[in-house]
Amino acid sequence: QVQLVESGGGLVQPGGSLRLSCAASGATLSLAAMGWYRQAPGKQRELVASIRSAGTPNYGDSVKGRFTLSRDNEKNTVYLEMNSLKDEDTAVYYCNAYIVPIGPLWGQGTQVTVSS
């Protein structure tokens, strides 16, 4: 079955770094875009970063300058490097992929907790 496999979440102190990975596995896919969204308790889900197959990453305003998204098209994988983490970055992070012509797929979510 085609699925998005996420890894890299965990607990980190403010100012620290984490790297999230998301791999679309199970079949040869036509991926128009991949990226990450996050949702904190009581808040709406928001864009963290996304990238098209042959494009430059788009970032949410709250993470610009701190997070970096990269994509390995051959591996159908995206990597989110999160630096200078803040308490407000604490959320469940969800990988997203848009598959043509099926539509969006979502990962199960991985918890990122930033706390001292």
Side-chain angles (χ1 to χ4, degrees), residues 83-95:
N83 301 311
S84 301
L85 284 162
K86 305 175 181 179
D87 291 347
E88 52 263 40
D89 294 317
T90 296
V92 178
Y93 285 68
Y94 296 92
C95 182

Side-chain angles (χ1 to χ4, degrees), residues 69-87:
L69 183 71
S70 60
R71 177 171 179 172
D72 187 335
N73 289 331
E74 294 181 356
K75 296 181 178 180
N76 296 317
T77 300
V78 290
Y79 306 93
L80 183 68
E81 182 72 32
M82 304 186 294
N83 301 311
S84 301
L85 284 162
K86 305 175 181 179
D87 291 347

